[in-house]
Amino acid sequence: MRNTRALAVAGAAVAALGLSAPAAVAWDTPSNIVALPSVIARGGQLTITVDGCRTGGTATSNAFTMPATLSPISGAKGTAKGTATIRNDARPGPYDITVRCNNRSLTKPHAFTVIGGVRGGVGGSSTTGATPTDMAIGGGLVAAAVIGGGVFWMRRRAERRV
């Protein structure tokens, strides 16, 4: 009876060790690369989170201005986070991210998509004041309001007399 108990305990210990060993090896391997936002304009900042990157590392992409440094997140076991800036001249389309940490690398294809940025122009800010056309339109609206108010007031006054 004692031998079967000892054998059962030894078998359970070996099974527990056998199941935890692959998890321990996988924990030091970068996995689950998340890039937020997944769609970003040129010149924007992208947050990268990687599981299995205990000591930190770097993330690279053809769209980044420079490699992003990944730092371990305190309180999150084995997770690292970093911020990357998208180049202003990056072409619109999907981009891969390659993460290197713990002397291992992992590439996530199509991790994020760059969209064409808005081309801002000088617009209405190029003038220093109202143009003569603006003044004529504004004056016409004020005159119409004064005339309309006067007509309304005169009609109300006429109704009271009757």
Side-chain angles (χ1 to χ4, degrees), residues 35-131:
L36 292 174
S38 60
V39 177
I40 189 166
R42 293 179 275 198
Q45 287 195 330
L46 188 71
T47 301
I48 304 156
T49 307
V50 183
D51 291 336
C53 196
R54 292 179 187 228
T55 58
T58 58
T60 57
S61 176
N62 290 336
F64 295 169
T65 56
M66 59 190 317
T69 303
L70 301 174
S71 302
I73 300 173
S74 63
K77 296 179 180 176
T79 302
K81 182 178 177 181
T83 303
T85 303
I86 306 300
R87 289 190 345 251
N88 288 328
D89 62 346
R91 291 181 180 238
Y95 283 89
D96 303 344
I97 293 179
T98 300
V99 171
R100 180 142 181 89
C101 59
N102 305 328
N103 293 324
R104 296 176 190 251
S105 65
L106 175 69
T107 300
K108 181 174 183 180
H110 305 289
F112 65 98
T113 302
V114 174
I115 57 174
V118 177
R119 295 214 181 257
V122 284
S125 64
S126 62
T127 60
T128 57
T131 63

